Amino acid sequence: MTPREELAALLSEEVGDRAGDWDLAGAIPLETLRRLGGEGVLCAEVPTEFGGRGLSGLDNGELTAHAGTLCSSLRSVMTSQGMAAWTIQRFGTREQRSKELAALTRGDLAAVAFSEPQAGSDLSAIATTVVDDGDSVVLNGHKVWSTASAYADVLVVFGRYQDGAAAVLVPTRAPGVTVRPIPQPLGCRAAGHADVLLEDVRLPATRVLSGASVSLGLLTTIALTYGRLSVAWGCVGIIRACLSAAATHARAREQFGKPLAEHQLVARHLAEMYVAEQTATRLCEHASGCWDSRSAELSSASVLAKHAAAGHAAHAASAAVQILASAGSVDGGTVARAYRDAKLMQIIEGSEEICQLILAERALERVT
């Protein structure tokens, strides 16, 4: 069994048939998350030298897709933990990487904090400040819709620092940090979405990652690229779960004397869902290949994969609900969850509109 297969089996065992209950309760048991974190599942791409599993981008992507077939809330936690780990890996000193990444592969939980009340799609409007004060830094700001923050031990907070920007490792129990879980979100209800208030949070200057004072655009783009790729693979998982549920139902359910699958209009839905799964998978494989080869095409490839996969997931979930009808309308059920979760995927890590603007720029660049 390969490392990816081993981790996928562990995910299947831990989730079992509990995803619907987690969705209805709005929470994943903390002990489950810590157990998965301690096995390295939540940030499986972390190199082995830092206690991780060292999965390639492609293997980590397929693992993420598997999580997406089981529970998009759990997959969202994986995305957030992975983004935090990647930011530390990319911008931390050797000491910071050794200490912080080891903690995340021992069971500590992390989240990233980008968005603010006036800085969603336009992250250049981030107003959170990180100010030097002797051997300390002081943070002030308000972050919103930070996935997994309700579970996190540490937040990777993005803010303005000196002449640029910085990512700061903020313990959620530090004085001045308030985490307010968002009640009953539309999708990924158990992903631990929360708003975070930072009021004169004083931390040692060593909590600022060493890549501090880079441009805000560069800092956020590097982190978001990981997140977009993770969301894209998660959407592949949503499509696969919807296709499996719809095909199983269409084969077993009879109407007008024959299985639903033999009715042409239903068969069309299944065909389009299959095309969606194959298309999204190929785009994600290409983007992960760019990740592994550190291709200059990575940024646009991740945007393309995320945009297409999220759109396909939303359409596939809608089609699955249509095929299952009342059987697919039970709150907490697989396709009902997917219907809500997929819509959220069209917003996070770059809305449809932002992705389209980025891709339009890419199209114009290709014109000779």
Side-chain angles (χ1 to χ4, degrees), residues 256-276:
F256 302 103
K258 60 182 179 181
L260 281 178
E262 294 182 15
H263 291 270
Q264 288 184 342
L265 292 179
V266 174
R268 184 198 69 186
H269 282 310
L270 295 174
E272 290 178 347
M273 292 167 73
Y274 175 71
V275 171

Side-chain angles (χ1 to χ4, degrees), residues 236 273-285 308-309 312:
V236 169
M273 292 167 73
Y274 175 71
V275 171
E277 188 275 331
Q278 288 291 297
T279 301
T281 299
R282 299 292 90 78
L283 288 172
C284 285
E285 288 174 344
H312 283 312

